[in-house]
Amino acid sequence: MRNLLLISAIILSIAACQSSDPPPAAVTPDSETEVAGELEPAVAIGTVRVTASTLNVRGEPSTTAAIVATVRRNQRLDLLARDQGWSRVRISTGEAGWVASRYVREEKGCPPDREFSIAEAPMMRFSDSGARGVVSVEVSVDRGGKVTSTRLLSNETGDESLAFLAQEEIRNARFNPPIRNCQPRAFIYTHRRTF
């Protein structure tokens, strides 16, 4: 009898691990970009504001390099690196390039724009229900990264207790909110939980 209980507990543990969706990957840019033969982190180290009326963003740190984009006065750019009078920046389309440092001003205390990420993943719970499927929950998150409300979008399991469980799990998650123009923003996230 004791062995049967132990085997049942192991099977339930394995089934729970296989049925729960992992939290979505953080969308913040953390990959590496090859620049002039060297790998450079694509994570912003700050923010700069354009001071010239128009400014060319170039593919290389040179006035003869190809122009990849043009930016305008007061436009905010993510600062990726500095190199001998040039600043490597990322524009709003996600493209990176070089601008002459004398035509941009670094903004102190302004964090670079970023996408949201999960700071504290929801704690997945076990369920005795034999129902299987995906529960989708719309999650409203405030500027501080706290979940303020949830709304059930769909429940393929047909079991209301699993829909309730999915909503309870995500309410305990914490997020790093997206930042736009130096300000954290509230956002809506869709959580999918597989049972």
Side-chain angles (χ1 to χ4, degrees):
M1 180 71 170
R2 185 173 172 195
N3 288 341
L4 182 60
L5 288 174
L6 181 60
I7 292 171
S8 297
I10 291 172
I11 291 172
L12 283 174
S13 297
I14 292 171
C17 290
Q18 291 175 343
S19 67
S20 58
D21 280 343
V27 187
T28 55
D30 59 358
S31 59
E32 294 182 336
T33 308
E34 188 167 330
V35 179
E38 297 178 17
L39 287 178
E40 175 187 325
V43 176
I45 59 173
T47 305
V48 294
R49 187 181 292 269
V50 178
T51 58
S53 57
T54 60
L55 181 60
N56 293 327
V57 180
R58 298 184 179 271
E60 300 292 327
S62 167
T63 56
T64 59
I67 297 170
V68 296
T70 302
V71 292
R72 302 197 180 287
R73 184 186 314 271
N74 290 326
Q75 194 170 340
R76 225 178 238 123
L77 310 170
D78 289 341
L79 177 64
L80 303 176
R82 293 182 197 88
D83 184 28
Q84 300 176 3
W86 290 87
S87 297
R88 182 158 169 78
V89 297
R90 182 173 38 239
I91 60 176
S92 59
T93 63
E95 275 187 287
W98 295 88
V99 296
S101 295
R102 67 178 177 255
Y103 298 118
V104 294
R105 182 183 74 239
E106 188 166 354
E107 294 192 316
K108 302 293 182 195
C110 178
D113 284 0
R114 70 169 188 222
E115 298 300 323
F116 82 91
S117 62
I118 296 177
E120 197 173 305
M123 182 66 79
M124 302 300 179
R125 299 185 201 160
F126 293 104
S127 170
D128 293 352
S129 174
R132 297 281 178 243
V134 177
V135 175
S136 296
V137 178
E138 181 180 89
V139 183
S140 295
V141 182
D142 68 11
R143 295 170 35 145
K146 292 182 181 177
V147 175
T148 56
S149 66
T150 60
R151 182 174 69 94
L152 181 64
L153 296 176
S154 66
N155 181 2
E156 296 173 3
T157 68
D159 186 338
E160 289 183 29
S161 66
L162 293 179
F164 179 79
L165 181 64
Q167 289 183 69
E168 283 299 307
E169 289 173 348
I170 195 63
R171 280 189 187 110
N172 297 322
R174 297 277 303 174
F175 294 84
N176 296 314
I179 294 181
R180 298 287 180 269
N181 296 322
C182 301
Q183 299 296 319
R185 304 287 182 190
F187 67 102
I188 295 175
Y189 167 72
T190 301
H191 173 66
R192 289 181 180 81
R193 171 72 153 95
T194 303
F195 291 96

Short mmCIF file of all heavy atoms in Angstrom, two decimals, residues 100-156:
data_model
loop_
_atom_site.label_atom_id
_atom_site.label_comp_id
_atom_site.label_asym_id
_atom_site.label_seq_id
_atom_site.Cartn_x
_atom_site.Cartn_y
_atom_site.Cartn_z
N ALA A 100 26.90 60.66 -34.17
CA ALA A 100 27.96 61.48 -33.60
C ALA A 100 27.54 61.91 -32.20
O ALA A 100 26.45 62.47 -32.01
CB ALA A 100 28.23 62.68 -34.48
N SER A 101 28.36 61.66 -31.20
CA SER A 101 28.02 61.92 -29.80
C SER A 101 27.73 63.39 -29.53
O SER A 101 26.95 63.72 -28.64
CB SER A 101 29.14 61.45 -28.88
OG SER A 101 29.28 60.06 -28.95
N ARG A 102 28.32 64.30 -30.29
CA ARG A 102 28.12 65.74 -30.02
C ARG A 102 26.70 66.19 -30.35
O ARG A 102 26.30 67.28 -29.96
CB ARG A 102 29.15 66.56 -30.77
CG ARG A 102 29.03 66.54 -32.26
CD ARG A 102 30.09 67.44 -32.90
NE ARG A 102 30.02 67.37 -34.33
CZ ARG A 102 30.88 66.72 -35.11
NH1 ARG A 102 31.90 66.09 -34.57
NH2 ARG A 102 30.74 66.71 -36.41
N TYR A 103 25.91 65.35 -31.06
CA TYR A 103 24.54 65.72 -31.43
C TYR A 103 23.48 65.04 -30.58
O TYR A 103 22.30 65.10 -30.90
CB TYR A 103 24.29 65.42 -32.90
CG TYR A 103 25.19 66.22 -33.81
CD1 TYR A 103 26.09 65.57 -34.66
CD2 TYR A 103 25.16 67.61 -33.83
CE1 TYR A 103 26.93 66.29 -35.49
CE2 TYR A 103 25.99 68.34 -34.65
CZ TYR A 103 26.87 67.68 -35.48
OH TYR A 103 27.70 68.40 -36.29
N VAL A 104 23.91 64.38 -29.50
CA VAL A 104 22.97 63.78 -28.56
C VAL A 104 23.37 64.14 -27.14
O VAL A 104 24.54 64.44 -26.87
CB VAL A 104 22.89 62.23 -28.70
CG1 VAL A 104 22.31 61.83 -30.04
CG2 VAL A 104 24.23 61.58 -28.47
N ARG A 105 22.40 64.17 -26.24
CA ARG A 105 22.66 64.47 -24.83
C ARG A 105 22.13 63.32 -23.99
O ARG A 105 20.98 62.90 -24.14
CB ARG A 105 21.95 65.78 -24.46
CG ARG A 105 22.21 66.21 -23.01
CD ARG A 105 21.44 67.47 -22.64
NE ARG A 105 20.03 67.13 -22.47
CZ ARG A 105 19.03 67.66 -23.16
NH1 ARG A 105 19.25 68.56 -24.08
NH2 ARG A 105 17.79 67.28 -22.93
N GLU A 106 22.99 62.81 -23.12
CA GLU A 106 22.57 61.70 -22.26
C GLU A 106 21.59 62.20 -21.21
O GLU A 106 21.77 63.26 -20.63
CB GLU A 106 23.78 61.05 -21.58
CG GLU A 106 23.42 59.79 -20.86
CD GLU A 106 24.62 58.95 -20.45
OE1 GLU A 106 25.75 59.29 -20.83
OE2 GLU A 106 24.40 57.97 -19.75
N GLU A 107 20.54 61.44 -21.00
CA GLU A 107 19.53 61.80 -20.01
C GLU A 107 19.85 61.07 -18.71
O GLU A 107 19.86 59.85 -18.67
CB GLU A 107 18.14 61.42 -20.50
CG GLU A 107 17.73 62.24 -21.71
CD GLU A 107 16.27 62.08 -22.03
OE1 GLU A 107 15.76 60.95 -22.00
OE2 GLU A 107 15.64 63.11 -22.31
N LYS A 108 20.10 61.83 -17.68
CA LYS A 108 20.42 61.26 -16.37
C LYS A 108 19.14 60.80 -15.67
O LYS A 108 18.13 61.48 -15.70
CB LYS A 108 21.13 62.30 -15.49
CG LYS A 108 22.40 62.84 -16.10
CD LYS A 108 23.45 61.78 -16.17
CE LYS A 108 24.73 62.36 -16.74
NZ LYS A 108 25.66 61.39 -17.16
N GLY A 109 19.21 59.65 -15.06
CA GLY A 109 18.08 59.14 -14.28
C GLY A 109 16.93 58.62 -15.13
O GLY A 109 15.89 58.29 -14.61
N CYS A 110 17.11 58.55 -16.43
CA CYS A 110 16.05 58.05 -17.31
C CYS A 110 16.41 56.64 -17.74
O CYS A 110 17.35 56.44 -18.49
CB CYS A 110 15.92 58.95 -18.53
SG CYS A 110 14.67 58.38 -19.70
N PRO A 111 15.66 55.63 -17.26
CA PRO A 111 15.98 54.26 -17.68
C PRO A 111 15.64 54.07 -19.16
O PRO A 111 14.74 54.71 -19.67
CB PRO A 111 15.07 53.40 -16.80
CG PRO A 111 13.97 54.29 -16.39
CD PRO A 111 14.52 55.69 -16.36
N PRO A 112 16.37 53.21 -19.84
CA PRO A 112 16.08 52.96 -21.25
C PRO A 112 14.74 52.26 -21.42
O PRO A 112 14.25 51.59 -20.52
CB PRO A 112 17.24 52.07 -21.70
CG PRO A 112 17.78 51.47 -20.45
CD PRO A 112 17.51 52.43 -19.35
N ASP A 113 14.14 52.45 -22.59
CA ASP A 113 12.89 51.75 -22.90
C ASP A 113 13.15 50.25 -22.87
O ASP A 113 14.22 49.78 -23.24
CB ASP A 113 12.39 52.14 -24.29
CG ASP A 113 11.76 53.53 -24.31
OD1 ASP A 113 11.71 54.18 -23.26
OD2 ASP A 113 11.34 53.95 -25.40
N ARG A 114 12.15 49.51 -22.41
CA ARG A 114 12.25 48.05 -22.36
C ARG A 114 10.86 47.47 -22.39
O ARG A 114 9.87 48.15 -22.16
CB ARG A 114 12.98 47.59 -21.10
CG ARG A 114 12.15 47.83 -19.84
CD ARG A 114 12.71 47.15 -18.61
NE ARG A 114 11.77 47.28 -17.53
CZ ARG A 114 12.08 47.55 -16.29
NH1 ARG A 114 13.34 47.73 -15.96
NH2 ARG A 114 11.15 47.64 -15.37
N GLU A 115 10.80 46.18 -22.69
CA GLU A 115 9.54 45.44 -22.65
C GLU A 115 9.35 44.90 -21.23
O GLU A 115 10.27 44.94 -20.41
CB GLU A 115 9.57 44.29 -23.65
CG GLU A 115 9.73 44.73 -25.09
CD GLU A 115 8.62 45.63 -25.58
OE1 GLU A 115 7.45 45.42 -25.19
OE2 GLU A 115 8.91 46.55 -26.35
N PHE A 116 8.18 44.37 -20.93
CA PHE A 116 7.94 43.80 -19.60
C PHE A 116 8.70 42.49 -19.45
O PHE A 116 9.10 41.86 -20.43
CB PHE A 116 6.45 43.58 -19.34
CG PHE A 116 5.91 42.31 -19.94
CD1 PHE A 116 5.90 41.14 -19.20
CD2 PHE A 116 5.42 42.28 -21.23
CE1 PHE A 116 5.42 39.96 -19.75
CE2 PHE A 116 4.93 41.11 -21.78
CZ PHE A 116 4.93 39.95 -21.04
N SER A 117 8.91 42.10 -18.22
CA SER A 117 9.45 40.77 -17.92
C SER A 117 8.80 40.28 -16.63
O SER A 117 8.22 41.07 -15.89
CB SER A 117 10.98 40.81 -17.79
OG SER A 117 11.36 41.64 -16.72
N ILE A 118 8.91 39.00 -16.39
CA ILE A 118 8.33 38.44 -15.16
C ILE A 118 9.40 38.46 -14.09
O ILE A 118 10.47 37.89 -14.26
CB ILE A 118 7.82 37.01 -15.42
CG1 ILE A 118 6.68 37.04 -16.44
CG2 ILE A 118 7.37 36.35 -14.11
CD1 ILE A 118 6.15 35.68 -16.82
N ALA A 119 9.12 39.16 -12.99
CA ALA A 119 10.07 39.25 -11.88
C ALA A 119 9.92 38.07 -10.94
O ALA A 119 10.89 37.55 -10.41
CB ALA A 119 9.86 40.56 -11.12
N GLU A 120 8.69 37.67 -10.72
CA GLU A 120 8.40 36.53 -9.83
C GLU A 120 7.32 35.70 -10.49
O GLU A 120 6.17 36.12 -10.58
CB GLU A 120 7.92 37.06 -8.48
CG GLU A 120 7.96 36.07 -7.37
CD GLU A 120 7.63 36.73 -6.03
OE1 GLU A 120 8.29 37.71 -5.67
OE2 GLU A 120 6.68 36.23 -5.39
N ALA A 121 7.69 34.53 -10.98
CA ALA A 121 6.76 33.67 -11.73
C ALA A 121 5.66 33.14 -10.81
O ALA A 121 5.86 33.00 -9.61
CB ALA A 121 7.52 32.50 -12.35
N PRO A 122 4.48 32.86 -11.39
CA PRO A 122 3.40 32.31 -10.56
C PRO A 122 3.77 30.92 -10.06
O PRO A 122 4.43 30.16 -10.75
CB PRO A 122 2.21 32.25 -11.52
CG PRO A 122 2.80 32.30 -12.89
CD PRO A 122 4.10 33.02 -12.78
N MET A 123 3.35 30.61 -8.85
CA MET A 123 3.59 29.29 -8.27
C MET A 123 2.48 28.36 -8.75
O MET A 123 1.31 28.57 -8.46
CB MET A 123 3.57 29.38 -6.74
CG MET A 123 3.86 28.05 -6.07
SD MET A 123 5.52 27.48 -6.37
CE MET A 123 6.41 28.46 -5.22
N MET A 124 2.86 27.36 -9.53
CA MET A 124 1.88 26.41 -10.07
C MET A 124 1.43 25.45 -8.98
O MET A 124 2.24 24.97 -8.20
CB MET A 124 2.49 25.62 -11.23
CG MET A 124 2.98 26.47 -12.36
SD MET A 124 1.65 27.44 -13.07
CE MET A 124 2.51 28.32 -14.32
N ARG A 125 0.12 25.17 -8.95
CA ARG A 125 -0.45 24.27 -7.95
C ARG A 125 -0.96 23.00 -8.61
O ARG A 125 -1.28 22.98 -9.78
CB ARG A 125 -1.60 24.96 -7.23
CG ARG A 125 -1.17 26.21 -6.51
CD ARG A 125 -2.32 26.76 -5.73
NE ARG A 125 -2.09 28.17 -5.45
CZ ARG A 125 -3.04 29.02 -5.13
NH1 ARG A 125 -4.29 28.61 -5.05
NH2 ARG A 125 -2.76 30.27 -4.88
N PHE A 126 -1.06 21.96 -7.80
CA PHE A 126 -1.57 20.68 -8.28
C PHE A 126 -3.09 20.70 -8.27
O PHE A 126 -3.71 21.43 -7.52
CB PHE A 126 -1.08 19.54 -7.39
CG PHE A 126 0.40 19.32 -7.48
CD1 PHE A 126 1.24 19.75 -6.46
CD2 PHE A 126 0.96 18.70 -8.57
CE1 PHE A 126 2.60 19.56 -6.53
CE2 PHE A 126 2.32 18.50 -8.66
CZ PHE A 126 3.15 18.93 -7.63
N SER A 127 -3.68 19.87 -9.10
CA SER A 127 -5.13 19.72 -9.14
C SER A 127 -5.48 18.24 -9.26
O SER A 127 -4.81 17.49 -9.97
CB SER A 127 -5.69 20.48 -10.34
OG SER A 127 -7.05 20.16 -10.51
N ASP A 128 -6.54 17.84 -8.58
CA ASP A 128 -7.01 16.45 -8.64
C ASP A 128 -7.92 16.22 -9.85
O ASP A 128 -8.28 15.09 -10.15
CB ASP A 128 -7.80 16.09 -7.38
CG ASP A 128 -6.91 16.07 -6.15
OD1 ASP A 128 -5.69 16.18 -6.30
OD2 ASP A 128 -7.45 15.95 -5.02
N SER A 129 -8.29 17.29 -10.52
CA SER A 129 -9.22 17.18 -11.65
C SER A 129 -8.60 16.37 -12.77
O SER A 129 -7.42 16.49 -13.07
CB SER A 129 -9.58 18.58 -12.16
OG SER A 129 -10.35 18.48 -13.33
N GLY A 130 -9.39 15.56 -13.40
CA GLY A 130 -8.91 14.78 -14.53
C GLY A 130 -9.06 15.53 -15.85
O GLY A 130 -8.67 15.04 -16.90
N ALA A 131 -9.61 16.73 -15.79
CA ALA A 131 -9.84 17.52 -17.00
C ALA A 131 -8.51 17.99 -17.58
O ALA A 131 -7.54 18.24 -16.86
CB ALA A 131 -10.73 18.71 -16.69
N ARG A 132 -8.48 18.09 -18.90
CA ARG A 132 -7.27 18.52 -19.60
C ARG A 132 -7.63 19.66 -20.55
O ARG A 132 -8.74 19.72 -21.07
CB ARG A 132 -6.65 17.38 -20.42
CG ARG A 132 -6.17 16.23 -19.58
CD ARG A 132 -4.83 16.59 -18.95
NE ARG A 132 -4.36 15.52 -18.09
CZ ARG A 132 -4.18 15.67 -16.79
NH1 ARG A 132 -4.44 16.80 -16.21
NH2 ARG A 132 -3.73 14.68 -16.07
N GLY A 133 -6.67 20.55 -20.78
CA GLY A 133 -6.88 21.65 -21.71
C GLY A 133 -6.13 22.90 -21.25
O GLY A 133 -5.34 22.87 -20.31
N VAL A 134 -6.39 24.02 -21.93
CA VAL A 134 -5.72 25.28 -21.65
C VAL A 134 -6.72 26.27 -21.11
O VAL A 134 -7.83 26.42 -21.64
CB VAL A 134 -5.06 25.84 -22.94
CG1 VAL A 134 -4.43 27.20 -22.68
CG2 VAL A 134 -4.03 24.86 -23.48
N VAL A 135 -6.31 26.98 -20.07
CA VAL A 135 -7.09 28.09 -19.51
C VAL A 135 -6.34 29.37 -19.84
O VAL A 135 -5.15 29.48 -19.54
CB VAL A 135 -7.28 27.95 -17.98
CG1 VAL A 135 -8.00 29.17 -17.42
CG2 VAL A 135 -8.03 26.67 -17.65
N SER A 136 -7.03 30.34 -20.48
CA SER A 136 -6.41 31.62 -20.82
C SER A 136 -7.02 32.71 -19.94
O SER A 136 -8.24 32.81 -19.83
CB SER A 136 -6.64 31.97 -22.28
OG SER A 136 -6.00 31.03 -23.11
N VAL A 137 -6.14 33.51 -19.34
CA VAL A 137 -6.56 34.55 -18.42
C VAL A 137 -5.94 35.88 -18.84
O VAL A 137 -4.74 35.95 -19.09
CB VAL A 137 -6.12 34.22 -16.97
CG1 VAL A 137 -6.52 35.31 -16.00
CG2 VAL A 137 -6.66 32.87 -16.53
N GLU A 138 -6.76 36.92 -18.93
CA GLU A 138 -6.26 38.27 -19.20
C GLU A 138 -5.88 38.88 -17.85
O GLU A 138 -6.68 38.86 -16.91
CB GLU A 138 -7.33 39.11 -19.87
CG GLU A 138 -6.87 40.51 -20.19
CD GLU A 138 -7.96 41.31 -20.87
OE1 GLU A 138 -8.75 41.95 -20.12
OE2 GLU A 138 -8.02 41.29 -22.10
N VAL A 139 -4.65 39.42 -17.77
CA VAL A 139 -4.12 39.93 -16.51
C VAL A 139 -3.81 41.42 -16.68
O VAL A 139 -3.08 41.80 -17.59
CB VAL A 139 -2.83 39.18 -16.13
CG1 VAL A 139 -2.30 39.65 -14.80
CG2 VAL A 139 -3.05 37.68 -16.12
N SER A 140 -4.37 42.26 -15.82
CA SER A 140 -4.05 43.68 -15.81
C SER A 140 -2.96 43.91 -14.77
O SER A 140 -3.09 43.48 -13.62
CB SER A 140 -5.27 44.53 -15.47
OG SER A 140 -6.24 44.39 -16.47
N VAL A 141 -1.88 44.59 -15.18
CA VAL A 141 -0.74 44.83 -14.30
C VAL A 141 -0.52 46.34 -14.21
O VAL A 141 -0.52 47.04 -15.23
CB VAL A 141 0.53 44.14 -14.87
CG1 VAL A 141 1.71 44.35 -13.94
CG2 VAL A 141 0.28 42.65 -15.09
N ASP A 142 -0.32 46.84 -12.98
CA ASP A 142 -0.12 48.28 -12.81
C ASP A 142 1.33 48.69 -13.05
O ASP A 142 2.19 47.85 -13.32
CB ASP A 142 -0.62 48.75 -11.44
CG ASP A 142 0.22 48.23 -10.27
OD1 ASP A 142 1.32 47.68 -10.48
OD2 ASP A 142 -0.23 48.39 -9.12
N ARG A 143 1.62 49.98 -12.94
CA ARG A 143 2.95 50.52 -13.20
C ARG A 143 4.00 50.00 -12.23
O ARG A 143 5.18 50.02 -12.52
CB ARG A 143 2.92 52.05 -13.11
CG ARG A 143 2.09 52.69 -14.17
CD ARG A 143 1.87 54.15 -13.91
NE ARG A 143 3.03 54.78 -13.32
CZ ARG A 143 3.44 56.00 -13.55
NH1 ARG A 143 2.79 56.75 -14.37
NH2 ARG A 143 4.50 56.48 -12.95
N GLY A 144 3.57 49.50 -11.09
CA GLY A 144 4.49 48.95 -10.10
C GLY A 144 4.77 47.47 -10.30
O GLY A 144 5.56 46.88 -9.57
N GLY A 145 4.10 46.83 -11.27
CA GLY A 145 4.33 45.42 -11.54
C GLY A 145 3.40 44.48 -10.78
O GLY A 145 3.57 43.27 -10.83
N LYS A 146 2.39 45.04 -10.09
CA LYS A 146 1.44 44.21 -9.35
C LYS A 146 0.22 43.89 -10.22
O LYS A 146 -0.25 44.73 -10.98
CB LYS A 146 0.95 44.93 -8.10
CG LYS A 146 2.01 45.12 -7.05
CD LYS A 146 1.43 45.80 -5.83
CE LYS A 146 2.49 46.01 -4.78
NZ LYS A 146 1.95 46.73 -3.62
N VAL A 147 -0.28 42.67 -10.07
CA VAL A 147 -1.50 42.27 -10.77
C VAL A 147 -2.68 42.94 -10.08
O VAL A 147 -2.87 42.79 -8.87
CB VAL A 147 -1.65 40.73 -10.75
CG1 VAL A 147 -2.98 40.31 -11.36
CG2 VAL A 147 -0.49 40.07 -11.48
N THR A 148 -3.47 43.70 -10.85
CA THR A 148 -4.61 44.41 -10.26
C THR A 148 -5.92 43.68 -10.51
O THR A 148 -6.85 43.80 -9.72
CB THR A 148 -4.72 45.83 -10.82
OG1 THR A 148 -4.80 45.77 -12.25
CG2 THR A 148 -3.51 46.66 -10.41
N SER A 149 -6.02 42.94 -11.62
CA SER A 149 -7.24 42.18 -11.88
C SER A 149 -6.96 41.08 -12.90
O SER A 149 -5.97 41.13 -13.63
CB SER A 149 -8.35 43.10 -12.40
OG SER A 149 -8.02 43.61 -13.66
N THR A 150 -7.86 40.10 -12.91
CA THR A 150 -7.79 39.01 -13.90
C THR A 150 -9.17 38.82 -14.48
O THR A 150 -10.18 39.13 -13.85
CB THR A 150 -7.31 37.69 -13.27
OG1 THR A 150 -8.24 37.30 -12.25
CG2 THR A 150 -5.92 37.81 -12.68
N ARG A 151 -9.20 38.33 -15.71
CA ARG A 151 -10.47 38.04 -16.39
C ARG A 151 -10.29 36.77 -17.21
O ARG A 151 -9.34 36.66 -17.98
CB ARG A 151 -10.86 39.20 -17.29
CG ARG A 151 -12.19 39.02 -18.00
CD ARG A 151 -12.59 40.28 -18.76
NE ARG A 151 -11.74 40.54 -19.90
CZ ARG A 151 -11.99 40.14 -21.14
NH1 ARG A 151 -13.09 39.45 -21.40
NH2 ARG A 151 -11.17 40.43 -22.12
N LEU A 152 -11.19 35.83 -17.03
CA LEU A 152 -11.13 34.57 -17.76
C LEU A 152 -11.45 34.82 -19.23
O LEU A 152 -12.49 35.39 -19.55
CB LEU A 152 -12.12 33.56 -17.16
CG LEU A 152 -12.14 32.18 -17.81
CD1 LEU A 152 -10.80 31.47 -17.61
CD2 LEU A 152 -13.27 31.35 -17.23
N LEU A 153 -10.55 34.40 -20.12
CA LEU A 153 -10.78 34.53 -21.56
C LEU A 153 -11.35 33.25 -22.15
O LEU A 153 -12.28 33.29 -22.95
CB LEU A 153 -9.47 34.89 -22.29
CG LEU A 153 -8.85 36.23 -21.95
CD1 LEU A 153 -7.52 36.40 -22.68
CD2 LEU A 153 -9.80 37.36 -22.31
N SER A 154 -10.75 32.12 -21.77
CA SER A 154 -11.27 30.84 -22.26
C SER A 154 -10.87 29.72 -21.31
O SER A 154 -9.89 29.83 -20.59
CB SER A 154 -10.74 30.54 -23.67
OG SER A 154 -9.35 30.34 -23.65
N ASN A 155 -11.67 28.65 -21.34
CA ASN A 155 -11.43 27.50 -20.48
C ASN A 155 -11.74 26.23 -21.28
O ASN A 155 -12.88 25.80 -21.35
CB ASN A 155 -12.29 27.58 -19.22
CG ASN A 155 -12.05 26.42 -18.28
OD1 ASN A 155 -11.21 25.56 -18.53
ND2 ASN A 155 -12.81 26.37 -17.20
N GLU A 156 -10.71 25.65 -21.88
CA GLU A 156 -10.88 24.44 -22.68
C GLU A 156 -11.10 23.20 -21.82
O GLU A 156 -11.49 22.16 -22.34
CB GLU A 156 -9.67 24.23 -23.59
CG GLU A 156 -9.46 25.31 -24.61
CD GLU A 156 -8.16 25.16 -25.37
OE1 GLU A 156 -7.42 24.17 -25.15
OE2 GLU A 156 -7.87 26.04 -26.20
#
